[in-house]
Amino acid sequence: MENTASDIKKKVGFWPKLQSASFLVVALMLSLGQWNDTKEALNSGYELFVAHWTNDIEYKRLSKLHVGQTYDYITSILGAPHASKKSKSDLYLTYYYYGDAKYQLMLAVKDQRLSGYGIIGLIPDFNVPIPFTDIKLAESSIASSYAVVDSYYSDSNNLEYYAESHELGKNVMFYNLLIGSVNYGAYTDRETEVVKALNTALDRGEEDVLALLTVSRTLSPNYFAISELEPGLMVSGLLTHFEHKTLLASK
């Protein structure tokens, strides 16, 4: 079959157009891939910025914790714990710990179920909200949050701390709240002396410690725990200075 000059011109013109279209598709695909890479880099950079300059990521992660969750579910969110130890008072209770530069998290797990958890802020501006309350850590004194002391716990030997227990009421299953101040190296001299003075009086068997208790309640809380357990069991889960340094300080 004979092709005319016009037919040849049409065929010659068709192939360059097809090649141009192919190159355009390839270019668009490459651009899309580069944009996806750029978008991932931007998202990663934003997350690093938020993590460094704010505590929002940590607050969001910790807000997912609720008493009654299974241990398997929690580890699917937080990963494997960094340390653990058995309770000396309850054979069925195990404490699990997560270390972070900004906070320490303790889980109290019984029968593979979360019976309570405690959070200790390790930096001054770790103002994580306390569930079921309008309180945030390190924003005001313990006394400004609760006018009356139900019961309190304190020590100054292997770890300096002052904490008090408050029942949250029937709307939240009568969970117990512990709120207090724990020293993992950030105490001022005054804060150390306040806790030591109270414990010295208690060790001596002094009955009237109201004045010392009042001063202790001026401390700013960096610790809270929510649980269905007896508060003393949650206090027993606090790591000593030595345990904190050996188990979590490098995390």
Side-chain angles (χ1 to χ4, degrees), residues 115-168:
S115 296
Y117 64 94
I119 297 171
I120 301 171
L122 301 179
I123 57 175
D125 65 343
F126 197 73
N127 309 124
V128 63
I130 299 178
F132 314 118
T133 75
D134 57 359
I135 307 168
K136 294 182 180 180
L137 288 187
E139 279 199 339
S140 58
S141 68
I142 298 170
S144 66
S145 300
Y146 290 94
V148 179
V149 182
D150 291 341
S151 59
Y152 68 92
Y153 305 82
S154 189
D155 199 358
S156 61
N157 293 317
N158 297 318
L159 176 68
E160 299 87 12
Y161 67 84
Y162 170 82
E164 51 189 57
S165 173
H166 298 276
E167 192 177 86
L168 290 174

Side-chain angles (χ1 to χ4, degrees), residues 176-218:
N176 290 309
L177 166 67
L178 278 168
I179 182 171
S181 178
V182 179
N183 179 27
Y184 281 126
Y187 263 20
T188 63
D189 290 341
R190 175 193 173 273
E191 290 168 329
T192 301
E193 287 304 316
V194 165
V195 175
K196 284 187 174 181
L198 174 61
N199 282 275
T200 297
L202 293 173
D203 291 342
R204 290 174 179 170
E206 296 181 18
E207 295 183 2
D208 185 7
V209 294
L210 180 59
L212 294 171
L213 192 60
T214 300
V215 176
S216 297
R217 303 193 78 233
T218 65

Side-chain angles (χ1 to χ4, degrees), residues 4-57:
T4 65
S6 176
D7 292 333
I8 294 173
K9 184 177 180 181
K10 288 179 181 178
K11 289 181 180 180
V12 171
F14 169 75
W15 288 109
K17 289 180 180 178
L18 180 60
Q19 290 173 339
S20 297
S22 299
F23 285 133
L24 178 60
V25 171
V26 172
L28 287 172
M29 291 177 67
L30 288 173
S31 297
L32 182 60
Q34 290 175 348
W35 165 242
N36 286 334
D37 291 342
T38 302
K39 185 168 65 173
E40 288 180 7
L42 288 173
N43 287 337
S44 178
Y46 174 74
E47 289 178 358
L48 287 173
F49 173 84
V50 171
H52 182 75
W53 294 106
T54 76
N55 302 317
D56 293 345
I57 292 175

